Amino acid sequence: MAETASQLSDAKLTARQRYLDAFRWMLLARILEEKLARLYRAGMIVGGVYIGRGQEAFSAALGMQLNRQEGDVYAPLIRDQAGRLAFGEAILDATRTYLGSVKGPMRGRDGNIHRGRPKQGLIAMISHLGTAISVANGMLVAKRFRGETQSIGGVCIGDGGTSAGAFHEAVNQAAVEKLPLIIAVADNQFAYSTPRDRQFACKDLVDRAIGYGIEGYSIDGTDLNACLETFAKAAQRARSGHGPQMVVGHLLRLSGHGEHDDASYIAPELKNQQYGGDCLEISTAHILGQEWMDETEMEALKAELQEQVDEAVATAQKEPAPDPFQESWHALATKHLTEGTPGI
Amino acid sequence: MSITYLEAIRAAQAKALAEDERVFIYGQDVAAFGGAFKATKTLSKEFPGRVIDAPISEDAIAGLAIGAAIEGMRPIVEMQFADFSSIAFNQIVNQAATQYWRTGVSCPLIIRLPSGGTDGSGPFHSQSMESLYSHYPGLIVMTPATVEDAYGMLLEAVAIEDPVIFCEHKFLYYHLKAEGLPDSILPVGKARIARAGRHATVVTCSAMVHESLRAAQELVNDGYEIEVVDLRTAKPIDTDTVLASVARTGRLLCVGEAFPWGGLTAEVVSRVVSEGFHLLDAPPKRLNAKDTPIPYHPNLWRVHRPTSQSIAAALRDLLSL
């Protein structure tokens, strides 16, 4: 039988609340991404859809440790909808960007997961893997120059991205500068179609932390509690001057690379192996098992979040698409130095 | 007081550091060592903590500068040689150059590229990258040819809200001297008539300005007055000044130190032909480096790039048409 609230210590209560908060971000991300996937199949998305199914626990746990208001910076990658929400990105930023609304942060100039608000600490990713890490380093260096030493950064990468030179250069750079940076490596076993044994030869990517001279953690990325505890510790270590923290989460990508990809190359039996589970199913079972919520409350929560998502989609769908005749076509902030298009 | 092109670059950085607390310098060997060419000599001592040695990681060097710029700093990156910026190319053209357009947040940083050839520098320490960077939207590309511009344009670059690729020519570092530093220079984006003439126009930039001026001097003996236009910036190109010059002379030779396929010289010819075809009395010409990697041996190198002799020959050819 579950303990009642009055029998719980404060620490346990906090841990339970943190778990439930994280679960909410995970569920919201899942509902949002399932909606986006349906819109993609209906041909209503401009461009592709990339989802983080199976990675929500790992992603949300990092996002929750970062505080936008305190000046923390966050560089999510393509499977970090949950982390983005936890960091404070509005659902509307996602739906507007995916649906091509001119009111979104990218105004139709970039799409889907290539979105952000750099002045609010949210780096707008480019497609080249590993390149956002040094950008986060630079933002932290700027804050150090200004004496804002309470800020930390969180960056996300997958197992495939760790093979990029940009990743190595930037993690080494963060180590040299002893920056308060959390590097979240979601080892989801596949980089597009390439399995991890064609990606790297070390036993566990966390072994690389030793080479960089930074602190590392290897965890079950489908275990929400493990994710929450580890990122909390990593954030505390980063904030207290212990330099970069690498957290490797073992999990399985439960989707294609994008929604265009049926992922037929992923053997179904992988889902039954260690780290192959669905973090959302696992945490749902945990919450129900602990009687932190009952089935009715769970359904009510889903309905509430579904409503938020549907509203954000409807809003974005009603908004205008970018107008090429209203577009300024200036790539420079220094307008008078813009070349224009010679000959036109 | 005589000051070299290199000393002017150092002086501009010292002034920027002194006057703007957002400025810092980041690059390989730039701190206590003072840089491979000593462009940051003693600056780390004068400005403690603001001149920072980087690991050999050009991608991450540019990336860090981008992040700092987004956060309101004014980073000056020294690439040890322009050639090595190829490692940072992705960050520069895909991250820095797209930042403002994509997000509305400007990315004011400077990448200093010690550029161009010198005796015995070979394929990987001699390149001219201005055309490559100019190709991408979102960058300003400066190619100063004088001590005054090296100083003044670097200070302008610090004030500009956009990423600036600052192509400083190594051949000019020690050779080129001025009597002092300027209080002001022509605005960025304006070309300069380095020598007035009426028989042909040479459009060029950086070290090639000086080779072209020597060629123009040589042609005085043949009775020709050659106008030399120093573009000053590869991007933007001051097409108006170029067209006005061609209107005066009717003949155009574009000279560049970079490789011959495409690039700045081709862009200038293209603009003059499409916007000023009626001004031309003869087909416009281009003179660039040869289409091979840059040779190591001085005997080969001196022929690989345009020189005053080859420019003079090209001009004689152009004037005979």
Side-chain angles (χ1 to χ4, degrees):
Chain A
M1 191 182 130
E3 299 159 285
T4 61
S6 61
Q7 291 169 309
L8 290 169
S9 67
D10 283 354
K12 271 191 175 172
L13 199 62
T14 310
R16 177 209 277 194
Q17 193 54 52
R18 187 174 69 183
Y19 194 99
L20 289 171
D21 288 349
F23 179 75
R24 192 184 170 92
W25 297 126
M26 292 166 61
L27 186 57
L28 179 57
R30 179 70 63 92
I31 290 170
L32 171 58
E33 291 191 329
E34 284 181 348
K35 178 80 178 180
L36 292 168
R38 283 197 297 278
L39 289 166
Y40 174 81
R41 287 192 285 277
M44 295 170 84
I45 297 284
V46 183
V49 169
Y50 301 85
I51 67 172
R53 193 181 181 90
Q55 301 190 190
E56 292 94 338
F58 189 69
S59 181
L62 171 60
M64 287 173 68
Q65 289 301 325
L66 304 172
N67 189 330
R68 254 183 346 155
Q69 280 73 34
E70 292 294 321
D72 290 347
V73 303
Y74 181 43
L77 220 56
I78 71 173
R79 310 199 190 283
D80 290 302
Q81 185 59 57
R84 285 172 176 272
L85 292 164
F87 184 68
E89 187 191 52
I91 307 174
L92 262 178
D93 275 12
T95 59
R96 282 172 163 161
T97 308
Y98 265 111
L99 290 159
S101 160
V102 74
K103 293 191 172 178
M106 312 311 279
R107 301 156 294 160
R109 292 176 174 189
D110 207 341
N112 49 59
I113 61 298
H114 300 99
R115 63 178 194 269
R117 293 182 181 270
K119 284 293 182 200
Q120 278 97 55
L122 187 60
I123 295 171
M125 61 167 282
I126 66 169
S127 303
H128 305 65
L129 295 175
T131 57
I133 303 174
S134 55
V135 175
N137 290 348
M139 293 172 83
L140 293 171
V141 164
K143 288 168 189 293
R144 188 169 69 189
F145 269 119
R146 292 199 297 260
E148 297 165 14
T149 50
Q150 80 288 354
S151 303
I152 64 169
V155 296
C156 305
I157 194 95
D159 45 299
T162 65
S163 307
F167 171 83
H168 165 71
E169 288 194 9
V171 175
N172 180 61
Q173 178 183 56
V176 168
E177 292 293 335
K178 295 185 177 56
L179 294 173
L181 184 75
I182 302 171
I183 302 131
V185 181
D187 181 356
N188 67 15
Q189 308 185 40
F190 288 89
Y192 205 148
S193 74
T194 304
R196 56 206 295 285
D197 64 347
R198 296 303 309 162
Q199 203 62 245
F200 54 89
C202 54
K203 200 167 162 212
D204 186 324
L205 284 170
V206 79
D207 295 346
R208 295 196 179 175
I210 301 164
Y212 293 123
I214 63 178
E215 296 177 3
Y217 314 80
S218 178
I219 60 172
D220 178 351
T222 67
D223 177 349
L224 178 56
N225 246 332
C227 293
L228 289 167
E229 281 172 18
T230 307
F231 279 113
K233 183 177 178 195
Q236 185 270 326
R237 297 283 294 169
R239 280 191 210 281
S240 54
H242 296 279
Q245 309 282 311
M246 180 182 288
V247 182
V248 179
H250 299 277
L251 41 87
L252 177 65
R253 197 185 78 205
L254 301 178
S255 64
H257 170 59
E259 286 307 285
H260 57 275
D261 171 23
D262 67 3
S264 53
Y265 46 83
I266 298 182
E269 53 268 27
L270 280 178
K271 291 184 184 170
N272 301 321
Q273 292 176 5
Q274 194 186 15
Y275 311 130
D278 178 348
C279 60
L280 192 69
E281 282 177 17
I282 295 167
S283 52
T284 302
H286 182 73
I287 289 168
L288 295 173
Q290 294 291 312
E291 296 181 20
W292 292 346
M293 290 170 78
D294 62 23
E295 295 276 2
T296 314
E297 288 166 322
M298 187 64 78
E299 287 310 310
L301 177 61
K302 279 185 193 167
E304 178 201 333
L305 299 179
Q306 184 71 54
E307 197 174 327
Q308 285 182 26
V309 166
D310 291 347
E311 194 185 318
V313 168
T315 301
Q317 281 179 324
K318 275 182 274 188
E319 290 171 351
D323 176 351
F325 298 103
Q326 296 294 314
E327 171 61 60
S328 76
W329 300 111
H330 282 292
L332 296 176
T334 318
K335 297 277 185 293
H336 74 275
L337 293 179
T338 303
E339 279 237 316
T341 309
I344 290 179
Chain B
M1 174 197 88
S2 166
I3 184 162
T4 66
Y5 183 95
L6 178 65
E7 286 162 352
I9 289 165
R10 187 199 165 279
Q13 292 179 102
K15 185 174 163 71
L17 283 162
E19 294 180 354
D20 189 340
E21 63 180 15
R22 302 171 303 173
V23 173
F24 72 97
I25 296 174
Y26 189 48
Q28 293 155 23
D29 305 300
V30 296
F33 187 63
F37 297 99
K38 302 296 171 205
T40 56
K41 190 177 157 189
T42 71
L43 292 179
S44 71
K45 204 176 273 183
E46 290 167 50
F47 303 96
R50 293 172 66 196
V51 183
I52 305 168
D53 279 336
I56 303 174
S57 301
E58 286 82 3
D59 182 292
I61 289 170
L64 185 146
I66 292 163
I70 288 170
E71 272 291 315
M73 301 295 286
R74 297 279 166 155
I76 300 175
V77 164
E78 177 179 302
M79 289 288 162
Q80 201 151 71
F81 285 81
D83 314 47
F84 301 155
S85 74
S86 58
I87 306 294
F89 190 70
N90 180 46
Q91 290 282 13
I92 295 169
V93 306
N94 288 315
Q95 193 103 260
T98 65
Q99 191 67 221
Y100 171 71
W101 197 74
R102 293 169 67 234
T103 69
V105 175
S106 61
C107 190
L109 57 86
I110 298 161
I111 312 266
R112 286 183 38 235
L113 301 185
S115 303
T118 51
D119 271 348
S121 293
F124 312 114
H125 294 76
S126 303
Q127 293 171 24
S128 299
M129 316 277 281
E130 65 277 357
S131 292
L132 271 179
Y133 290 110
S134 295
H135 182 70
Y136 280 83
L139 300 171
I140 291 166
V141 182
M142 297 182 174
T143 51
T146 65
V147 174
E148 291 81 358
D149 273 352
Y151 178 79
M153 287 168 79
L154 188 48
L155 287 172
E156 290 275 3
V158 174
I160 284 176
E161 279 292 333
D162 290 291
V164 175
I165 308 301
F166 192 83
C167 305
E168 52 192 57
H169 205 294
K170 301 193 298 290
F171 191 76
L172 306 179
Y173 271 169
Y174 315 103
H175 292 99
L176 207 58
K177 288 180 182 155
E179 282 315 302
L181 295 171
D183 293 327
S184 67
I185 56 164
L186 276 178
V188 170
K190 290 296 288 179
R192 174 180 70 102
I193 307 293
R195 180 189 176 108
R198 58 196 176 98
H199 295 116
T201 296
V202 178
V203 174
T204 187
C205 65
S206 192
M208 288 297 121
V209 169
H210 303 283
E211 296 294 331
S212 301
L213 288 171
R214 273 193 283 280
Q217 186 59 38
E218 196 179 317
L219 262 73
V220 170
N221 302 328
D222 301 24
Y224 292 118
E225 294 171 30
I226 306 298
E227 183 146 302
V228 177
V229 177
D230 170 9
L231 285 173
R232 300 176 70 243
T233 53
K235 193 170 191 181
I237 295 173
D238 181 0
T239 312
D240 290 348
T241 297
V242 171
L243 285 170
S245 176
V246 174
R248 285 190 287 276
T249 65
R251 283 176 161 77
L252 173 65
L253 170 67
C254 292
V255 179
E257 190 178 330
F259 301 123
W261 198 98
L264 183 59
T265 55
E267 183 66 28
V268 171
V269 167
S270 158
R271 290 186 192 195
V272 170
V273 168
S274 63
E275 294 173 45
F277 190 69
H278 59 290
L279 305 172
L280 290 164
D281 297 329
K285 283 179 78 79
R286 297 166 62 212
L287 186 63
N288 297 286
K290 292 187 189 301
D291 192 25
T292 69
I294 300 161
Y296 156 73
H297 198 282
N299 288 354
L300 300 177
W301 174 70
R302 284 178 200 144
V303 176
H304 183 267
R305 67 164 200 159
T307 58
S308 58
Q309 293 91 337
S310 64
I311 296 167
L315 279 169
R316 286 194 181 100
D317 188 33
L318 176 67
L319 289 159
S320 73
L321 295 173

